[in-house]
Amino acid sequence: MSDNGNGPSQRPVDSSQTISSESEHSIRLSDAECVEKCNELIEQYRRRENPKVDTILALRQTLLDSPTVQEGGSLPDALAVFVSMLDSVDRANSKAAERGIEHGHPASQHEAERRVSEPRGEEQEVENGAGRERDSSESSDEDERPSKRPKGRLDTSKFPWHGKRVNAIAALAPDVKQTFEQLEQFSVDPKGVVRDILSTPGCPPFPPEQWLNIVQWKVVDLAKVLEAAHSTDLEPKQTHVIDDKVELSFRATKSSSGIQSAADHNIAFTKYINALTFVFPQRWEEYTSWNAHLSGLFHAFETSRHSRVIEYDKAVRTLVSLQRHIRLTDYSAFGELQYTFLSSFGVGPNSSESSAGGGGKSERGSGGGKKREPCHKWNRGTCAKSSSECFFLHCCDRKGCRGPHKKSDCPRLGKSGEGPKQ
């Protein structure tokens, strides 16, 4: 053979693997073109168009045409990069198959056969050994951490009410519309939002669990707000260890009297306004107007009936938390609640004779010269208390009659044209 370099028998083995003859490849590929071609081979493997062995051989042949490799660059190092990408595809497919099995959708037969029949040659083991070591260490670290399955996002556009929701939000007032947008952002990580609020200098003092209610637009417990304002405990959680093996952890709860008066409500609600408008500043005028409205109701009702106003406020705020398009100043939307909680004939817990639990006892004990009202439940036959236990009088509640009989047995029924009881 001559020494002109055309005889393959006189060349080193590695040179024959890295250099191609001009007659075989008249057009040289650039490094960028080689990388693009390798990426296309990876995508074909991801789509399961080619087996892994054929893909690796094709990658090797493509890298042989790379100018960097031909000029003395390391072929194994370049090939290892793309082989690691193939391994990443395998791991992703394996996790997808595991999720499918957990949900009752096992991996396809084609996928199982491909993995079983896939040969693992000695050359591939050598080239991928380092990458596999790294992958196994990473997977072991991942196994030690608690795995959380990512939740897929809902496609709300498929819901039958989606169009109505979009149109309704578009027609809302600017302040309410802005609130909807904020709540949608906060819903991604409400606890993270609270952590950011608490780490912000100048944020109003407020119980952390009630901050969470604010960012989720839930009803805030004013009793807990008032309790936190008067509390000096920094850590209510207590821990006890038994026999160095069992640890009991619980929160020490304190008895709270809750919101008992207009003053209690005003203190807690003012703190509530400061906290809520820190997150939703556009609602400041609305909540201050509602607080002024409640102050007027407290002034209009007797002190013994302030519990009605407190329950009415809680019921209205509950409705607003459920119907987010309603403002607290939409008083016409609360007509039924006004009758339920503010009227003496309502069915609220503090209406009619039920409201005697607070100030009624003081009226009975002190006398006070106030006239006791008839028991409406006794007249309907539903009062479970005796005449001595019930704060209200067990007498006829017909106007002008206080006889020791029920209204249905009142002898005056015939005198008003209603006719005697049959």
Side-chain angles (χ1 to χ4, degrees), residues 51-118:
K52 190 171 185 178
V53 173
D54 293 347
T55 302
I56 293 176
L57 293 176
L59 287 170
R60 180 179 180 277
Q61 185 60 41
T62 302
L63 292 174
L64 285 174
D65 295 335
S66 171
T68 300
V69 174
Q70 292 180 1
E71 292 173 2
S74 175
L75 174 63
D77 290 345
L79 184 61
V81 173
F82 293 99
V83 172
S84 65
M85 296 173 66
L86 295 178
D87 293 339
S88 298
V89 174
D90 289 340
R91 289 194 299 271
N93 290 338
S94 177
K95 291 181 179 179
E98 291 175 1
R99 288 196 296 268
I101 293 175
E102 291 177 0
H103 288 81
H105 302 286
S108 63
Q109 183 68 20
H110 170 74
E111 175 69 11
E113 292 176 355
R114 186 181 68 81
R115 289 178 184 168
V116 172
S117 61
E118 183 180 283

Side-chain angles (χ1 to χ4, degrees), residues 153-168:
R153 291 185 61 85
L154 292 175
D155 187 3
T156 57
S157 62
K158 303 297 183 181
F159 295 156
W161 59 83
H162 176 71
K164 182 178 181 180
R165 180 180 186 273
V166 173
N167 296 333

Side-chain angles (χ1 to χ4, degrees), residues 7-58:
S9 61
Q10 296 182 3
R11 298 190 179 201
V13 177
D14 57 342
S15 300
S16 66
Q17 294 177 349
T18 57
I19 299 177
S20 302
S21 64
E22 291 291 337
S23 60
E24 294 177 349
H25 298 282
S26 60
I27 300 177
R28 297 287 183 180
L29 295 176
S30 65
D31 286 338
E33 291 173 335
C34 288
V35 170
E36 183 178 356
K37 189 174 180 180
C38 290
N39 288 334
E40 177 60 27
L41 291 171
I42 298 295
E43 280 302 315
Q44 292 176 3
Y45 178 72
R46 191 190 308 275
R47 296 193 296 267
R48 301 178 182 177
E49 296 179 2
N50 300 318
K52 190 171 185 178
V53 173
D54 293 347
T55 302
I56 293 176
L57 293 176

Side-chain angles (χ1 to χ4, degrees), residues 88-243:
S88 298
V89 174
D90 289 340
R91 289 194 299 271
N93 290 338
S94 177
K95 291 181 179 179
E98 291 175 1
R99 288 196 296 268
I101 293 175
E102 291 177 0
H103 288 81
H105 302 286
S108 63
Q109 183 68 20
H110 170 74
E111 175 69 11
E113 292 176 355
R114 186 181 68 81
R115 289 178 184 168
V116 172
S117 61
E118 183 180 283
R120 296 185 178 272
E122 182 179 351
E123 180 182 354
Q124 183 180 351
E125 290 294 337
V126 173
E127 292 173 350
N128 297 340
R132 223 178 266 113
E133 249 178 62
R134 184 169 56 254
D135 295 339
S136 61
S137 62
E138 291 176 357
S139 63
S140 62
D141 292 340
E142 291 177 357
D143 293 340
E144 292 176 0
R145 295 191 297 267
S147 60
K148 290 186 178 180
R149 188 178 304 163
K151 296 181 180 179
R153 291 185 61 85
L154 292 175
D155 187 3
T156 57
S157 62
K158 303 297 183 181
F159 295 156
W161 59 83
H162 176 71
K164 182 178 181 180
R165 180 180 186 273
V166 173
N167 296 333
I169 294 178
L172 292 174
D175 57 334
V176 181
K177 186 177 180 180
Q178 183 180 354
T179 303
F180 268 83
E181 294 172 354
Q182 288 177 272
L183 292 174
E184 187 172 356
Q185 295 175 352
F186 298 161
S187 64
V188 177
D189 186 8
K191 293 184 178 179
V193 175
V194 173
R195 287 193 297 268
D196 190 77
I197 291 174
L198 295 176
S199 64
T200 301
C203 77
F206 209 66
E209 70 275 6
Q210 301 307 314
W211 273 119
L212 187 61
N213 286 338
I214 286 181
V215 300
Q216 293 179 322
W217 204 252
K218 294 182 179 180
V219 181
V220 167
D221 191 342
L222 296 182
K224 293 184 178 179
V225 174
L226 183 65
E227 179 183 347
H230 299 158
S231 175
T232 57
D233 293 339
L234 297 179
E235 182 55 60
K237 188 175 181 179
Q238 296 184 0
T239 303
H240 295 274
V241 179
I242 302 176
D243 295 336

